[in-house]
Amino acid sequence: MPDVRCGSDGEQELQERCGTRDRAQRFYREQVLDRLNTRMIDFVRRMDMAFIATADRHGECDASLRAGKPGFLHVIDERTLAYPEYRGNGVMAALGNLWENPHIGILLIDFVHDLIGLHINGSARVVEDPALRRRVPGLPAAERGRTAERWVVVDVEEAYIHCRKHIPHLVPAAREERQWGTDNPIAKGGDYFGARAQQRALVAEH
């Protein structure tokens, strides 16, 4: 059976060096799709958080968390999905990366029930909220009074399983009401890691 060409040149080279090519080829043939199938779509629709990976044109990476009610990551069709971007700290690291480099990786993990994950890789574009709502009926409404400023629309190129072997089983706990959209530094986490205090100390030294 001819080889399936998936992944990067680096993947292919390391598979040869490490003797894993046959296993990798079997995985590509049996598990990697170029679209979302019905079970993947159902999985996406019940997830309430996603890990997002982007990189700028130089390859400098950023990993971020997006979360909301199940369905916040909206499946437009088997080849397209979108997630909202709300008012944040204004840094726009992920969006800035996508502005330069459209490649995106999304990892969804069910920590509670099935202990399984789904990788979605593709290319993304940033679309303003009013423009996308005109084109996509059924786009989720504002959540907790917040309206998305814009959406990241992802064209799916690869979708495949993340095995459950090392996924921890987590039990949801009741959480206090959050102050969504607040600029209150305490509510946002304050200087939890001490970075601001350290920066002030460095400035004082100089």
Side-chain angles (χ1 to χ4, degrees), residues 1 9 12-13 18 22 56 68 79 81 83 85 96-97 101 104 108 115 121 135 138 140 186 189:
M1 186 177 294
D9 291 341
Q12 303 291 327
E13 182 174 341
C18 299
D22 290 344
D56 66 15
R79 294 182 179 272
L81 51 84
Y83 65 85
E85 287 284 347
N97 285 345
N101 173 5
I104 189 169
L108 303 165
L115 305 185
N121 297 327
R135 289 161 34 198
I186 302 301

Side-chain angles (χ1 to χ4, degrees), residues 18 30-31 59 99 114 130 132 139 148 160 167 188:
C18 299
E30 296 178 358
Q31 295 295 335
W99 198 260
D114 295 332
L132 190 62
L139 207 61
Y160 56 90
I167 295 177
K188 292 172 68 174

